[in-house]
Each structure stands twice: as C-alpha cells, then as structure tokens.
C-alpha cells in the first residue's frame, strides 16, 4: 500500500491476506484516476446527465420561520434513485470499468445503495450481485424488485442478524473468492483503506457544491452543517468542504433507536473502539468484542460500525455526534413533509430532527443551518404508515 | 526460530510443552508431516468440544488449531460460521476459551495455535490477551484479519510473552510479501490453499502445489496448508508437495454438525476420520 489509510489511529487494512493485493490494486487505481482529466470528465458527465447534479441548496422558508433560524436543505433527495448513494456508485463503477473488472458486488441494508449499484451495473454493463440480509429483504420487498428490474441478482444472507452487517460479511467472502475479476462496491465510508477515503472523495461533490451555493446565497459560510450518519458517507461528503472552517459546526445525527440503554445504531455515542469490516473505528460490541446488533427505525442507520474518519472527527472534537431517537426522527419526517412539502428518507429525517433540536437552543437563534437531505422518503412509506397506524 | 525470551515468567507446566520447532523436527526425523485438526472452542458445547479434542489427540494429532468463536467471521464459510454460532449460543466467551486451553493442557503437550479475529484481541487489550494466552498454554496466535501491515503491536506482545505470531500466505501474495512475512512470522507459515473462505472442497485447487513450492522458496519456516483440506488424499498431496503440515477444519466440523443428536457417534467418526488423515501424513518425501 502507498498510504496506511489511517485517520489518526483509526482506519487501516484489517483484512485477510488474500485481499491485500486487491486493496493495493484498488488504491493504485484510485490514486491514478482521482485527478485524471478524462476520468473526471466522464464522471461529471454521468453525475449531471444520468444522476441529475448539481442538486439545489433550497432555502426552507416555512421551516425557517417556524424554527427561528435560516435553514437550507441540500437536495440529494432529488438525485436519480432517490439518495446520495449514486454519487459513489457512479464513481466506483467507472473506476471498476477503468480497472478492467468484470463484475460488481455490493451490500445493501435498506436497498438504496443496492439500487444505486444496480443501475450503475446496468449503465456500464456489469453483471451485478447485491447481498442483502433476509430480514431486510422482507422489510424492503419493492427495493428488491427495483434491483432485479435493473438486471441485478439479489442474494439473500441468512447468517447472523440477517441485516446490513451480515450482508457486508457475505460480500467480503464473495470478494475473497473472486477477487481477481470482481470489484466490491462498498456503499459507505467504511471498510479497509482505500474505501473510506475513496467513498468520501466521490461524495465530496456534495460539499463542494454546497459551499459555493451558500456563499452565493448568503455571502458567508453557515453556522452549522448537519447530516445523518450511518456508515458516514453523506455526512463526510458535505463535511469535507468545511473541515478547515473552524467556525462552522459539524454535527452528525446518529440512529438513537429506542434511546439511552435501549437498542440503537448510535455507534459514536454508545460504542467503543474496535475492529470491524477491515478498519479500526468505534463499534457496538459486548465485553468480549463480539459485535452487537444495531437497531434504528431507518435501515440505513442500522449498522454497528461507523467510518473511521468520523471516529477521528469525534475524538478531536471537530465534529459532534448526537443520537436521534426513532420517535424524534419520525417527528422530523412529519415536520419537513408538513411545512415544506418534502418527504425525507427516514435516515435524513434524523438530520432534520437534529436541526430542530439545534434551532430550539436559545443561543442558536437566527443562525444559518444546512441540513444534508441525503434521500427521499418514498422507500419508507410503509414503515411510516405502520408507525402512524395508517393502513397502507 | 525458537522463542525463548527470558524476560517472562512461564509456569513449570508450560516449559514442558512441545514447541512448533520441536514438533516439526520430531516429525521430520520420522519422515512425516504434521496433522493439525481445528476445532471451534465450545462447539457444540464446552464439554463436547473438549471430548472432540481428546479424540483428535488420541488419533494422532501433532498439533491443534483452536478457534475462538466470533460474531462476524469474514474469512469463514458456512460450516465454521455455524460452529461459531453454536459455540456462542452455548455460552462461549474469551475467558472460557482460555479455560478450554487449560483443560487441554491437562492431557496434552502438543503445540496449540489460537485462531482468532482481531477484535477479540483488541478489545481485551493486546498485552493482556497474549499474557493470558501464554499462561493457558498457547504456542501461537493467528488473527485471520491481521495482515503484517497492522501487526506491529501484536508482534511486540507476542515477543514479550513468548508466543509465535503466525501469518498467512495466499495465492495472491507476492514474493516480496512472502519474504516480509517470513521475517515477521514465528512458528510456521499458514498457506491458504484456496482462493476463498474456509469450507470443504471435493478437490484440491490445482494451484496449491505451485503455491507450496513458491512459499518454500521464500521462507526457511515450516509451512502448513489449510482451507479446503478435507480428505486423506488432499493431505497426502500437500505433504508430497513439500508441506510440513496440513490443517483440517471444515471436514471435521461437518462431523459435529451431522451428529449433534448422537454425541458418541460424533466422537467415533471424529476419531476414525482423524486416524485416516494422520495416516496420510506419513508419505513425506525426505
Ligand atoms: C437516504 C440515506 N441517507 C443516509 C444513509 C446512511 O449512509 P451514510 O451514512 O453512508 O450516508 C443511507 C443508507 O442507506 C440512505 O439511504
């Protein structure tokens, strides 16, 4: 490897020996193409023509009046397939093409990353397999169909908690077996180096646009940038443009689940240091180091690990992480739908609820807040209808 | 290669344990390679898995690989995954894992290698984990997800506590890496026979023989081959190719899985399959 892939002490390449050469190959390709004009022109073409970039930075006037702050929404929900995930899958899919790989594999929890991978598989002509826990398949049947329509095979994972973490395990096992021909398209800023750095790079387009847009509209930087954190890719995507602006507060909203002491997915808040899926970071685990099952109302935040760079941002204090409980997220979901006519993904609803909490603090009155609206809520309608007691 | 650090307190008991060096030397003189069966500690429960080890030792195991069960074993196929689940459900913990080793030491002195995922080590703290391992009678530790790049601290703890840090070599490992692994490793080099995860294969990968010979060229350490070695003919083949040992895991764990309802039959089958596997190690070329 050229770099050690560390963010402070976090990150690294904690993988079986079989995968090391593949990580070396991937790192070399990433470093070669990330500043390559032809590659970047092609990626920009697909990001704008296929995915719909740039996305707007929308001034949420009604919500701003209600909360007494200036609230802007970065509209990643408007992208093709309905979430920021496509920024990364287009980037990695194109990289796999440049590397001459023959097949894509991916993991998915809710199905958003699976769908974003499936459409890129169709676009670039890759045979594509997506691993999905059988519990998630049950919860997200329509997303399975969407992937299958794009020609992707959805492979059910029956082991462990039958959710995202086990889908990643199974994708890693597939990659170990087919490493010479296959690219493993990881969906967040997690996994061994170079994934956390690479996924952040492909998501940093969110931050680059946002920074320019807010300066155009406000002629200054925002006071706070708020994003939800599952593995951490949409958050790092938008944070990346503000890391050096010490006066901009960076806040990550984690899946707080049932709240303190209850089931949750708030790895940075309730977790401890450990090694999972190839990197050292915070994880939810027991006394022995066995990984715990996570829980969140939003499948995308239902993960017992988190990207290593977030661990570093947490311990250095550059970013703050706040657990948002399921019921608070559902309120955020309703709030944005009602006041702005924008139905957010349940993941993004955590960021909305977090912004509401932030705005309600007296010392934050009148501040300018950017919320990364990472995805739209169509996929979550049946969950929300159950929670609200409405028969869908 | 003998690790004899004098800065540590080893119990009298552990000083009489056979080292990997001594074991390979003993077998070499007899023209045999080592038969090394693998068990997940606590699968299907603590007592039965101890009886399984007893059966293995009785059938002529030259060394043991003991796996501590982990919730997310990414290098393992369905067989070992299921064994991990059984062991964890039966209440296995890291502390009980060390207790398991101590129990084995009551009836056997052959080398014991621990196979773990790194988080179990990291969570306890490296120094404490290696100390407890040493005190319970472990000779070597291999963490399946710890490549040399990340192993500086583990190697330090291994040296301090007189444990062999074992590393893997795979088809995808370059010669340059092999040389480096050889410099850092103790005990033996664990050669991964297949492109893939653990599990029974009907045939040995054709490239395994080439890999054994390539690894042999780049390390003076003994070589043991594992992953997909299930039948006596596989053992014979890798032995003839120049391997110093064969590690058999999933084929034996399948016997556990198949006979969960009849422990006596399980142990009997275990004994007879191990006998056949040991017999196949006696074909080593000088
Ligand atoms: C809309 C949306 N937001 C956020 C996430 C969480 O992922 P990350 O933290 O990588 O942005 C997901 C994951 O599925 C998602 O679908």
């Amino acid at each position: 490897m050229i770099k050690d892939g560390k963010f402070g002490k976090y990150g690294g390449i904690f993988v079986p020996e079989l995968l090391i050469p593949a990580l070396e190959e991937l790192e070399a390709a990433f470093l070669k193409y990330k500043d390559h004009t032809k590659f970047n022109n092609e990626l920009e073409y697909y990001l704008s023509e296929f995915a719909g970039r740039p996305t707007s930075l929308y001034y949420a006037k009604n919500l701003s009046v209600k909360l007494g702050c200036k609230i802007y929404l970065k509209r990643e929900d408007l992208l093709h397939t309905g979430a920021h995930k496509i920024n990364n899958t287009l980037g990695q899919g194109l990289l796999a093409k440049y590397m001459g790989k023959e097949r894509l594999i991916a993991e998915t929890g809710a199905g958003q990353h699976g769908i974003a991978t499936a459409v890129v598989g169709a676009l670039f002509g890759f045979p594509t397999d997506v691993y999905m826990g059988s519990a998630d398949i049950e919860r997200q049947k329509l997303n399975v169909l969407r992937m299958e329509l794009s020609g992707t095979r959805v492979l059910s994972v029956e082991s462990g908690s039958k959710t995202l973490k086990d889908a990643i395990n199974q994708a890693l096992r597939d990659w170990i077996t087919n490493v010479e021909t296959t690219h493993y398209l990881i969906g967040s800023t997690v996994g061994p180096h170079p994934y956390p750095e690479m996924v952040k790079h492909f998501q940093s387009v969110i931050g680059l646009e946002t920074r320019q847009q807010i300066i155009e509209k406000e002629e200054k930087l925002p006071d706070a940038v708020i994003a939800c954190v599952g593995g951490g890719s949409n958050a790092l995507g938008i944070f990346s443009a503000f890391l050096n602006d010490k006066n901009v507060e960076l806040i990550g909203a984690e899946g707080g689940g049932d709240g303190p002491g209850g089931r949750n997915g708030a790895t940075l808040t309730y977790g401890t240091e450990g090694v999972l899926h190839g990197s050292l970071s915070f994880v939810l685990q027991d006394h022995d180091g066995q990984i715990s099952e996570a829980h969140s109302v939003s499948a995308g935040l239902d993960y017992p690990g988190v990207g290593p760079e977030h661990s570093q941002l947490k311990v250095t204090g550059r970013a703050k992480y706040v657990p948002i409980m399921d019921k608070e997220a559902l309120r955020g979901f309703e709030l944005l739908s009602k006041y702005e006519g924008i139905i957010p993904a349940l993941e993004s609803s955590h960021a909305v609820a977090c912004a509401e909490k932030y705005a309600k603090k007296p010392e934050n009155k009148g501040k300018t807040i950017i919320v990364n609206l990472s995805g739209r809520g169509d996929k979550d309608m049946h969950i929300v209808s159950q929670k609200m007691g409405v028969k869908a | 290669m003998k690790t004899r650090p004098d800065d540590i307190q080893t119990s009298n008991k552990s000083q009489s344990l056979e080292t990997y060096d001594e074991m390979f030397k003993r077998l070499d003189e007899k023209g045999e390679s080592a038969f090394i069966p693998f068990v997940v500690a606590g699968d299907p429960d603590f007592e039965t898995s101890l009886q399984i080890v007893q059966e293995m030792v009785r059938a002529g195991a030259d060394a043991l690989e003991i796996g501590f069960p982990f919730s997310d074993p990414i290098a393992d196929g369905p067989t070992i995954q299921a064994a991990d689940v059984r062991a964890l459900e039966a209440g296995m913990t890291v502390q009980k894992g060390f207790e398991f080793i101590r129990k084995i030491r009551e009836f056997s002195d052959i080398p014991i290698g621990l196979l773990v995922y790194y988080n179990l080590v990291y969570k306890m703290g490296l120094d404490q984990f290696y100390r407890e391992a040493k005190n319970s009678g472990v000779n070597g530790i291999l963490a399946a997800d710890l490549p040399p790049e990340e192993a500086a601290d583990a190697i330090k703890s291994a040296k301090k506590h007189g444990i062999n840090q074992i590393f893997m070599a795979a088809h995808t490992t370059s010669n340059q890496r092999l040389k480096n692994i050889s410099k850092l490793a103790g005990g033996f080099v664990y050669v991964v026979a297949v492109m893939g995860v653990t599990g029974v294969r009907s045939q040995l990968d054709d490239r395994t023989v080439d890999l054994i010979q390539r690894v042999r060229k780049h390390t003076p350490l003994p070589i043991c081959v594992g992953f997909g070695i299930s039948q006596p003919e596989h053992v014979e083949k890798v032995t003839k190719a120049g391997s110093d040992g064969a590690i058999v895991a999933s084929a034996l764990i399948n016997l556990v899985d198949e006979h969960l309802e009849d422990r006596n039959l399980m142990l009997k089958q275990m004994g007879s399959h191990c006998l056949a596997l040991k017999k196949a190690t006696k074909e080593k070329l000088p």
Side-chain angles (χ1 to χ4, degrees):
Chain A
M1 305 297 276
I2 295 164
K3 302 188 182 181
D4 65 5
K6 294 277 163 71
F7 305 91
K9 70 186 215 190
Y10 303 105
I13 46 166
F14 294 88
V15 295
E17 174 66 25
L18 260 167
L19 286 182
I20 299 286
L23 295 176
E24 284 175 343
E25 182 193 0
L26 184 60
E27 184 200 48
F30 169 61
L31 294 177
K32 173 173 172 191
Y33 289 117
K34 81 183 179 62
D35 300 315
H36 190 275
T37 311
K38 181 163 170 287
F39 178 88
N40 283 328
N41 286 344
E42 207 174 331
L43 180 56
E44 257 168 53
Y45 169 81
Y46 288 114
L47 284 173
S48 69
E49 303 287 319
F50 185 73
R53 298 215 76 88
T55 60
S56 65
L57 184 69
Y58 178 69
Y59 175 55
K61 195 173 93 208
N62 303 334
L63 194 61
S64 296
V65 169
K66 172 163 169 62
L67 298 180
C69 277
K70 270 194 151 171
I71 298 184
Y72 283 89
L73 305 172
K74 181 57 175 167
R75 299 293 307 275
E76 296 298 294
D77 61 312
L78 294 176
L79 289 172
H80 179 40
T81 68
H84 69 292
K85 298 283 176 186
I86 190 104
N87 301 325
N88 171 48
T89 57
L90 279 171
Q92 284 195 51
L94 197 60
L95 190 64
K97 209 172 99 168
Y98 274 64
M99 290 171 76
K101 294 290 172 186
E102 296 163 17
R103 170 177 175 256
L104 297 180
I105 55 171
E107 82 292 341
T108 198
Q112 285 307 111
H113 174 58
I115 288 164
T117 304
V119 299
V120 163
L123 175 69
F124 294 141
F126 286 114
T128 303
D129 286 335
V130 169
Y131 289 95
M132 191 167 181
S134 58
D136 288 333
I137 288 183
E138 201 47 47
R139 286 192 279 192
Q140 302 283 346
K141 285 208 180 93
L142 284 178
N143 277 346
V144 173
L145 182 61
R146 288 166 80 191
M147 286 184 260
E148 287 174 348
L149 283 170
S150 299
T152 282
R153 209 161 47 140
V154 178
L155 302 168
S156 174
V157 179
E158 302 288 343
S159 52
S161 56
K162 304 177 172 55
T163 59
L164 180 59
K165 126 183 130 64
D166 310 284
I168 297 180
N169 291 340
Q170 203 55 30
L172 282 166
R173 292 181 188 117
D174 180 318
W175 201 33
I176 288 172
T177 309
N178 302 296
V179 67
E180 286 155 320
T181 56
T182 297
H183 175 66
Y184 177 19
L185 210 167
I186 293 186
S188 190
T189 43
V190 300
H193 175 68
Y195 284 103
E197 183 185 339
M198 179 170 69
V199 175
K200 173 190 171 188
H201 172 78
F202 288 132
Q203 292 293 3
S204 64
V205 64
I206 305 173
L208 291 173
E209 286 176 10
T210 303
R211 190 184 168 90
Q212 211 177 356
Q213 289 165 324
I214 195 70
I215 289 174
E216 271 166 26
K217 290 176 201 287
E218 291 286 330
E219 293 175 344
K220 66 177 178 72
L221 293 174
D223 295 300
V225 177
I226 301 177
C228 67
V229 177
S233 69
N234 86 86
L236 277 174
I238 195 161
F239 288 176
S240 60
F242 302 98
L243 285 174
N244 296 327
D245 304 307
K246 298 289 180 254
N247 293 328
V248 178
E249 281 187 73
L250 304 176
I251 304 171
E254 294 198 282
D258 298 338
R263 303 173 309 156
N264 68 84
T267 310
L268 290 161
T269 307
Y270 302 122
T272 49
E273 284 177 6
V275 174
L276 175 66
H277 295 148
S279 58
L280 173 62
S281 192
F282 277 67
V283 295
L284 298 176
Q285 59 186 335
D286 72 7
H287 171 77
D288 263 8
Q290 306 291 351
I291 307 302
S292 311
E293 287 181 21
H295 166 80
S296 166
V297 67
S298 71
L301 307 187
D302 202 344
Y303 178 58
V306 68
E309 190 169 358
H310 283 293
S311 294
Q312 169 72 351
L313 292 174
K314 176 193 157 83
V315 300
T316 59
R318 178 62 192 95
K320 287 201 173 55
Y321 297 88
V322 181
I324 299 293
M325 289 191 281
D326 285 355
K327 58 178 189 225
E328 296 173 313
L330 286 163
R331 233 198 14 248
F333 179 92
E334 287 183 60
L335 189 71
L336 197 66
S337 303
K338 184 166 163 199
Y339 281 86
E340 296 294 341
I342 296 171
I343 300 178
L346 278 175
E347 291 80 7
S348 323
S349 301
H350 287 70
V352 174
C354 186
E356 186 194 7
K357 276 189 163 176
Y358 181 90
K360 281 189 171 161
K361 289 188 181 151
E363 69 269 27
N364 293 332
K365 196 161 174 50
K367 283 189 175 171
T368 303
I369 305 167
I370 296 177
V371 174
N372 195 17
L373 208 63
S374 56
R376 58 177 173 249
D378 308 34
K379 70 182 175 64
D380 296 316
M381 292 321 298
H382 63 291
I383 295 171
V384 173
S385 67
Q386 275 167 14
K387 298 277 172 199
M388 290 168 46
V390 178
K391 278 222 167 78
Chain B
M1 260 327 290
K2 199 159 286 185
T3 351
R4 277 278 161 74
D6 26 30
D7 60 330
I8 50 151
Q9 298 280 317
T10 41
S11 68
N12 288 335
K13 177 101 190 118
S14 76
Q15 269 168 5
S16 68
L17 301 178
E18 190 175 41
T19 65
Y20 279 112
D21 278 356
E22 289 160 358
M23 186 258 311
F24 286 118
K25 190 150 172 275
R26 166 171 65 79
L27 292 174
D28 220 37
E29 283 163 5
K30 290 199 285 182
E32 295 178 17
S33 69
F35 163 53
I36 308 177
F38 170 90
V39 269
V40 171
D43 168 39
D45 57 65
F46 192 96
E47 278 310 316
T48 310
S49 81
L50 203 58
Q51 287 171 350
I52 289 170
V53 173
Q54 249 158 352
E55 238 8 271
M56 289 167 164
V57 171
R58 205 174 299 148
D62 297 299
L64 295 163
E65 282 286 297
I66 307 292
F68 279 6
F70 183 53
S71 54
D72 297 78
I74 57 169
D76 288 301
T79 303
I80 294 180
Q81 287 173 44
D84 282 357
V85 170
R86 279 194 298 267
L88 289 171
E89 281 178 355
M92 204 59 194
T93 61
V94 172
Q95 279 309 335
K96 285 184 190 165
F98 290 130
E99 178 61 26
F100 188 74
I101 310 274
R102 277 192 288 273
K103 291 269 187 217
I104 296 173
R105 285 311 185 201
E106 290 173 8
F107 61 84
S108 177
D109 287 337
I110 61 178
I112 293 180
L114 212 56
L115 217 150
V116 293
Y117 285 85
Y118 190 55
N119 197 46
L120 300 184
V121 182
Y122 189 84
K123 185 68 172 51
M124 175 174 280
L126 276 78
D127 192 62
Q128 191 186 342
F129 191 96
Y130 277 77
R131 183 184 314 114
E132 296 217 16
K134 182 68 187 183
N135 289 341
S136 64
V138 165
N139 299 64
I141 295 180
L142 195 175
D145 53 354
L146 188 72
E149 282 86 343
E150 302 291 354
D153 292 344
I155 291 169
K156 224 185 281 165
S157 296
K159 286 225 170 84
K160 177 173 168 198
H161 294 291
I163 294 245
N164 292 130
Q165 185 69 32
I166 297 165
F167 288 100
M168 290 185 166
H171 288 286
T172 51
T173 307
S174 67
N175 292 339
Q176 189 52 47
R177 281 186 74 78
L178 281 176
K179 278 186 210 157
N180 190 32
I181 287 168
S182 167
K183 261 187 243 149
L184 299 173
F188 61 89
V189 175
Y190 190 129
V191 172
V192 180
V194 300
M195 284 295 297
V197 294
T198 56
V200 167
R201 272 87 170 166
S202 55
Q203 281 193 323
L204 203 63
D205 191 322
D206 286 339
R207 294 186 293 173
T208 305
V209 170
D210 295 342
L211 178 61
I212 292 168
Q213 287 163 356
R214 188 162 68 87
V215 176
R216 171 62 79 220
K217 268 195 215 133
H218 293 94
T219 179
L221 285 171
I223 298 174
C224 295
V225 182
F227 283 44
I229 310 285
S230 52
Q231 295 304 322
E233 52 270 31
H234 304 158
V235 174
E236 200 177 313
K237 209 164 159 190
V238 299
T239 300
K240 283 189 168 145
S243 173
D244 301 297
I247 299 163
V248 184
S250 297
L252 300 175
I253 292 174
N254 276 339
L255 296 177
V256 177
D257 190 54
E258 281 162 27
H259 301 293
L260 283 171
E261 305 305 322
D262 187 345
R263 302 284 151 107
N264 287 333
L265 187 58
M266 179 198 292
L267 295 172
K268 212 172 130 212
Q269 297 277 357
M270 192 63 72
S272 60
H273 197 58
C274 285
L275 269 178
L277 291 163
K278 175 55 204 167
K279 196 154 162 253
T281 66
K282 300 188 177 174
E283 305 290 335
K284 196 175 179 199
L285 298 179

